[in-house]
Amino acid sequence: MLRVLRRVPALGFVLLSSAAFAGTAVTLGFPDATDKIVFESATWPKEDPAKSTTFKAVKADYTVDSTNKADHIYVVDVQSGKVATKAIGDIQNNTWTITKEEFSNVYKVKVDVSTPKGPVAAASVEFNDASGKRTKLIDPSSNGEAAFLFVKPGEVKVAVTYKADGKDKEPVKQSFTVGGDKDATLKIALPDGEAIPAKATATTAAGNAPAAATGAPAANTSQGDGSTNPAGNLLGTVLGLAFIGGVAYFLWKFVMKNPDKVKDTLTKLGADIPQPGQDNAAQDPVPIAPIAPQPMQQIILDGAAPSPVASPSAGPISMPSTAAPVMTGIPKLIASDGSAFDLPDGETVVGREFGNGLVVPNDTVSRKHATILKMGTSVEVQDHGSTNGTWVNGMKVAGSQTLTPGDKVRFGSIEYRYEG
């Protein structure tokens, strides 16, 4: 009992000293006056912090929030892309003068994955540095890149898992050295795999082909001294406009005098003549009723076989209602096949059109269907006036709605489970 009583004052002193440290102003000295982002963390960060302070000066006072002297202060040099860090308890006299050598960690490392036909469409990238392993997914909107933040210098091991012709391939593994003057973009070339479909390129019409392509020189429209003839050009322009105006006037008079004949002619040619009061706005996509949740159609990167699609008589397919909310601290959407989409900070546009943040290739999903907004730990979903609607737990979203772990979020007929 006496031993316990003796330890109480010591414990109280420790608690008071820790609490007193919170709110202390630490003077930070920087090598230059470019942008510096400052924040605190109890563990090595893997993503951008929810709270930070930006300074643009050679000296600044920073107020410490943490009560634990073992926590670290991190300083990101935006210009160089390097990071300095120091334990709060190691800062002497509440002053930390940061040298250029202390900016030794790398803020961002990009892993660029390509196939012989272009950037890979889908892959899983495992990244292993001195801080541990982490994994990110590449989808068609990623343009073949996966970014990893707050990387410790030294050897980095990267393993890329992917598919080719619908079959799992052996992971491609490669080691790199990052830090110092090394490039912060790591390139990995796969021997095969599915590439992002190339956009259609405009081809030169035969009538507009350059003269050099036919082997004949272009016609010389200039005078002997190399200058053009302004009077000739002006006269040709006036005559051309007069001719076009005359043809347009003749056509307008003919249509006004013979509206029924013009309508019949256009109908025979296959033209769609709108009727009075008819809504000509194309719906995107075609509405369906009722909307039955369907499993997400996407590439599966693990070895598990995809779940079979149920027949129409089997009833709606949705996420299991008994799934308990998983508190991971990382907001994400879980598809019916178990694949996960981590929600980044800011806005993520959901739709079936390539280029959206979350691509859902399904006919019941509009091109730009909805927006998911993540602000810190708060996540909201907002419908874009889609044809088949956005639903949360069976209720249609009219404006925006905040998500909580375990919510069922449905876009058209495609359902996810939200975890955070």
Side-chain angles (χ1 to χ4, degrees):
M1 184 66 179
L2 291 175
R3 290 182 179 178
V4 174
L5 292 176
R6 289 173 183 172
R7 292 177 180 175
V8 169
L11 180 60
F13 177 77
V14 172
L15 293 176
L16 287 174
S17 63
S18 298
F21 200 83
T24 301
V26 174
T27 300
L28 301 176
F30 306 116
D32 52 55
T34 59
D35 286 348
K36 304 291 187 299
I37 300 174
V38 183
F39 65 95
E40 302 162 40
S41 179
T43 58
W44 183 265
K46 299 293 179 68
E47 300 292 341
D48 284 327
K51 179 182 178 182
S52 63
T53 305
T54 301
F55 298 106
K56 193 171 185 178
V58 294
K59 183 179 290 188
D61 290 334
Y62 174 74
T63 302
V64 177
D65 289 335
S66 176
T67 60
N68 190 347
K69 293 186 178 183
D71 293 351
H72 279 62
I73 294 179
Y74 292 84
V75 181
V76 180
D77 187 335
V78 176
Q79 187 176 62
S80 67
K82 297 297 181 66
V83 183
T85 180
K86 195 168 191 175
I88 295 174
D90 293 340
I91 298 176
Q92 302 296 322
N93 300 321
N94 295 336
T95 300
W96 179 20
T97 302
I98 311 170
T99 64
K100 288 185 177 181
E101 290 72 25
E102 289 181 278
F103 286 96
S104 58
N105 302 293
V106 182
Y107 169 66
K108 180 186 290 186
V109 172
K110 291 182 180 180
V111 178
D112 187 341
V113 184
S114 62
T115 71
K117 296 182 180 179
V120 69
S124 174
V125 181
E126 181 183 272
F127 188 91
N128 188 5
D129 67 348
S131 67
K133 291 183 180 180
R134 30 188 156 160
T135 303
K136 290 204 172 182
L137 298 179
I138 291 177
D139 60 27
S141 66
S142 306
N143 197 31
E145 287 186 352
F148 297 88
L149 305 185
F150 299 101
V151 177
K152 291 189 175 182
E155 184 183 29
V156 171
K157 296 180 179 180
V158 180
V160 179
T161 305
Y162 69 104
K163 288 189 174 186
D165 299 326
K167 297 179 181 179
D168 293 328
K169 306 294 289 186
E170 284 294 323
V172 174
K173 300 179 180 180
Q174 198 166 338
S175 296
F176 301 88
T177 300
V178 299
D181 297 328
K182 298 293 182 182
D183 194 348
T185 299
L186 313 181
K187 296 183 179 293
I188 294 183
L190 304 178
D192 49 13
E194 300 296 330
I196 299 175
K199 294 181 180 179
T201 57
T203 57
T204 305
N208 297 325
T214 62
N220 185 3
T221 58
S222 62
Q223 298 181 18
D225 60 356
S227 61
T228 57
N229 187 346
N233 288 342
L234 179 61
L235 179 60
T237 302
V238 171
L239 292 176
L241 291 175
F243 175 76
I244 294 173
V247 172
Y249 177 77
F250 171 78
L251 291 175
W252 177 75
K253 294 290 290 183
F254 180 80
V255 170
M256 295 299 294
K257 290 182 179 180
N258 306 277
D260 293 336
K261 183 181 293 185
V262 172
K263 180 179 178 181
D264 291 341
T265 302
L266 291 175
T267 302
K268 291 178 181 178
L269 293 174
D272 186 12
I273 309 299
Q275 301 299 323
Q278 177 180 351
D279 184 8
N280 297 314
Q283 293 182 327
D284 175 29
V286 177
I288 57 175
I291 302 174
Q294 301 173 7
M296 178 59 191
Q297 301 172 3
Q298 58 187 6
I299 298 174
I300 303 172
L301 295 175
D302 54 22
S307 302
V309 179
S311 63
S313 61
I317 301 174
S318 61
M319 300 297 294
S321 60
T322 58
V326 179
M327 304 296 290
T328 63
I330 304 176
K332 62 182 67 177
L333 294 178
I334 308 297
S336 59
D337 61 3
S339 59
F341 175 78
D342 291 346
L343 295 173
D345 289 331
E347 291 187 351
T348 299
V349 179
V350 181
R352 75 168 190 266
E353 187 175 66
F354 281 115
N356 292 325
L358 175 56
V359 180
V360 186
N362 185 275
D363 290 340
T364 66
V365 178
S366 298
R367 293 184 178 89
K368 293 188 182 297
H369 195 100
T371 293
I372 299 175
L373 178 61
K374 175 175 176 276
M375 297 177 293
T377 58
S378 175
V379 177
E380 295 182 358
V381 62
Q382 182 177 7
D383 188 74
H384 276 230
S386 60
T387 301
N388 292 316
T390 301
W391 307 73
V392 176
N393 297 328
M395 301 294 291
K396 190 173 184 179
V397 176
S400 63
Q401 182 167 336
T402 301
L403 301 180
T404 57
D407 282 349
K408 295 180 181 179
V409 185
R410 175 155 57 86
F411 308 104
S413 64
I414 302 302
E415 187 171 276
Y416 293 85
R417 184 177 72 252
Y418 169 69
E419 294 179 1

